[in-house]
Amino acid sequence: MEKLPPQIVGNCGLFAVAHELSKRGWNVLITSRNAAGPDILAYDSKRRAITVQVKGTSKNGPRDGFGVRTSTKDKPVTETEIEAKVRANTCDYWVFVRDAISDLPPPVGIE
């Protein structure tokens, strides 16, 4: 399979999380991609609402993907970029999906 663009890999992770939440009884609303704020708004039958930020990568190593840097050329970074984003974000949950494209079904009728 040819390498997919990062936006598509992110979408695979996003839809995997939405699928799992739906299976667990949540009504899932996916927000506009690359907009500020949560990727998913969800509510259950008891009208509990949650917000979710999703990050997906096609890699599967213990520290692969997610745009995490632990140092720069000149100096070590005291807080990884992802930790700073988590602290600044007001989402209820963050979900990190590794190997987001591993369970893709084979394409049908696409050439």
Side-chain angles (χ1 to χ4, degrees):
M1 175 194 287
E2 75 179 64
K3 184 176 178 180
L4 295 174
Q7 177 75 29
I8 301 301
V9 173
N11 286 344
C12 291
L14 174 65
F15 287 109
V17 173
H19 176 249
E20 190 61 36
L21 285 169
S22 294
K23 288 190 330 187
R24 294 170 185 243
W26 290 86
N27 290 298
V28 178
L29 305 165
I30 295 173
T31 63
S32 296
R33 299 297 292 143
N34 294 325
D39 293 323
I40 293 175
L41 305 172
Y43 63 94
D44 66 6
S45 61
K46 297 177 185 172
R47 296 192 165 230
R48 290 182 299 169
I50 60 171
T51 56
V52 183
Q53 181 73 38
V54 180
K55 296 294 176 193
T57 182
S58 60
K59 299 176 182 174
N60 199 21
R63 295 183 64 81
D64 288 338
F66 307 124
V68 175
R69 290 186 307 139
T70 56
S71 65
T72 63
K73 195 187 284 187
D74 300 326
K75 61 181 178 180
V77 175
T78 57
E79 178 176 59
T80 64
E81 290 176 28
I82 201 72
E83 289 170 331
K85 289 179 182 179
V86 169
R87 291 181 202 290
N89 195 292
T90 58
C91 291
D92 298 315
Y93 297 95
W94 279 66
V95 179
F96 298 92
V97 181
R98 291 199 183 283
D99 202 10
I101 61 172
S102 66
D103 292 328
L104 287 178
V108 177
I110 298 175
E111 296 183 32

